[in-house]
Amino acid sequence: MLVSHKYRFIFIKNGRVASTSTELFFEQYCISDDTINKYNYDLTNLSKNQRTKWDKSIIDSCGIVPARPYRKNNDTYWPHMPLCDVKQLLPQDRFESYIKFANIRNPWDSIVSQYYFARGRMIRDGTFHGLMLSPDQTFEQWLIWITNNLTEYRERRIFRHNYQRIIDISSGEPGLDHVIRYEHLNEDIEKMCKITGITDYNIDKVPLVNHKVRSIKKCYRSYYTSPELIAIVNHLCKDIVDLGNYEF
């Protein structure tokens, strides 16, 4: 998440939707010049993860930027903080008046990305929170295994985590004013700059990060070898399907 008091916006960071690229681009508008100078923040290299050297989240007159790794030193703020938690920590007038946005992505595509993310963690760590049985599982085997052994935790972590982050609990509906579509990343980021009044941006500086998670580069549709697999995602990710008017 990011908060900019200067440009009056709140960014909610979803998973597997190019949110880190978006976050790294917009965080420069959430910190003051004093903070930039203090941490030798390099505005010429936005793809660099500069927050790893921060002792804790930056909270200054310009905004709020969480440190990474998250919850370092028991920080109040963390990168994937949901909208409902941000609402509890900001003054009501600021929360209600600030522009709120987040990234979304075609769920059939993002679920393939989830598979490769979980597989990478399994290979590296030998486990991934019970979200994969074995790194040898094919995408089809993994998706069927997940749905045949679906728990509230697995459903939330794999299929509903992004939608749940953007929900305004008081209404039960998404609390966003705008979305940035993964499929139109630079175009929508530029629109958000114009909406928020940011003028000193260079859209060519949007960093490309975490794009090597999917080891095999092919169209997401090729992973769905049966109507059953397509229907699983359509059912379990229907909220995002509807929000983005997505089709397989």
Side-chain angles (χ1 to χ4, degrees), residues 139-233:
F139 175 77
E140 179 177 357
Q141 291 170 340
W142 171 76
L143 188 56
I144 291 175
W145 172 77
I146 279 284
T147 52
N148 285 343
N149 297 276
L150 198 62
T151 63
E152 181 180 353
Y153 173 75
R154 286 174 177 159
E155 181 176 355
R156 174 170 54 83
R157 283 295 303 270
I158 296 296
F159 301 107
R160 292 183 54 81
H161 63 302
N162 283 341
Y163 190 77
Q164 290 176 337
R165 280 195 196 100
I166 62 176
I167 286 295
D168 185 335
I169 292 178
S170 63
S171 67
E173 299 291 333
L176 303 177
D177 300 296
H178 302 277
V179 295
I180 291 175
R181 301 162 294 173
Y182 173 91
E183 299 79 14
H184 304 276
L185 184 65
N186 283 24
E187 174 188 345
D188 286 354
I189 285 178
E190 186 165 22
K191 287 180 181 178
M192 285 309 309
C193 287
K194 293 176 179 178
I195 288 169
T196 56
I198 296 171
T199 57
D200 59 334
Y201 66 88
N202 183 348
I203 201 64
D204 295 326
K205 291 285 189 179
V206 175
L208 182 62
V209 295
N210 295 337
H211 62 288
K212 296 181 179 180
V213 169
R214 191 180 302 187
S215 57
I216 301 174
K217 303 296 184 181
K218 59 181 182 179
C219 178
Y220 70 85
R221 294 185 182 90
S222 64
Y223 290 86
Y224 295 86
T225 55
S226 70
E228 176 191 5
L229 299 180
I230 298 171
I232 287 171
V233 175

Side-chain angles (χ1 to χ4, degrees), residues 51-204:
R51 283 177 289 164
T52 55
K53 60 188 177 185
W54 296 3
D55 297 324
K56 55 184 178 181
S57 297
I58 299 299
I59 304 172
D60 64 22
S61 61
C62 195
I64 301 169
V65 181
R68 299 178 74 176
Y70 64 85
R71 293 185 176 175
K72 192 174 184 178
N73 296 331
N74 296 315
D75 262 357
T76 301
Y77 299 94
W78 68 95
H80 288 290
M81 194 172 188
L83 183 66
C84 60
D85 287 354
V86 178
K87 183 178 183 178
Q88 296 300 315
L89 293 172
L90 287 182
Q92 183 178 356
D93 60 334
R94 286 188 169 181
F95 180 83
E96 291 180 353
S97 63
Y98 283 13
I99 295 169
K100 306 165 199 63
F101 64 98
N103 290 36
I104 61 172
R105 181 180 186 177
N106 184 310
W108 288 279
D109 191 14
S110 65
I111 292 301
V112 174
S113 182
Q114 286 277 2
Y115 163 74
Y116 278 106
F117 184 71
R119 184 173 180 269
R121 286 293 183 89
M122 284 288 291
I123 292 172
R124 189 187 75 182
D125 303 331
T127 183
F128 187 53
H129 309 301
L131 298 177
M132 177 170 274
L133 189 62
S134 163
D136 296 326
Q137 285 179 295
T138 65
F139 175 77
E140 179 177 357
Q141 291 170 340
W142 171 76
L143 188 56
I144 291 175
W145 172 77
I146 279 284
T147 52
N148 285 343
N149 297 276
L150 198 62
T151 63
E152 181 180 353
Y153 173 75
R154 286 174 177 159
E155 181 176 355
R156 174 170 54 83
R157 283 295 303 270
I158 296 296
F159 301 107
R160 292 183 54 81
H161 63 302
N162 283 341
Y163 190 77
Q164 290 176 337
R165 280 195 196 100
I166 62 176
I167 286 295
D168 185 335
I169 292 178
S170 63
S171 67
E173 299 291 333
L176 303 177
D177 300 296
H178 302 277
V179 295
I180 291 175
R181 301 162 294 173
Y182 173 91
E183 299 79 14
H184 304 276
L185 184 65
N186 283 24
E187 174 188 345
D188 286 354
I189 285 178
E190 186 165 22
K191 287 180 181 178
M192 285 309 309
C193 287
K194 293 176 179 178
I195 288 169
T196 56
I198 296 171
T199 57
D200 59 334
Y201 66 88
N202 183 348
I203 201 64
D204 295 326

Side-chain angles (χ1 to χ4, degrees), residues 1-2 9 19-58 60 62 64-68 200 205-207 209:
M1 59 79 72
L2 299 171
F9 71 71
S19 276
T20 299
S21 295
T22 305
E23 176 188 42
L24 292 174
F25 179 83
F26 279 107
E27 70 180 24
Q28 62 183 302
Y29 304 109
C30 304
I31 51 181
S32 66
D33 290 341
D34 288 342
T35 297
I36 289 173
N37 294 331
K38 177 181 177 180
Y39 290 97
N40 296 316
Y41 191 91
D42 185 1
L43 293 174
T44 66
N45 184 11
L46 299 180
S47 63
K48 182 181 177 182
N49 186 359
Q50 302 180 69
R51 283 177 289 164
T52 55
K53 60 188 177 185
W54 296 3
D55 297 324
K56 55 184 178 181
S57 297
I58 299 299
D60 64 22
C62 195
I64 301 169
V65 181
R68 299 178 74 176
D200 59 334
K205 291 285 189 179
V206 175
V209 295

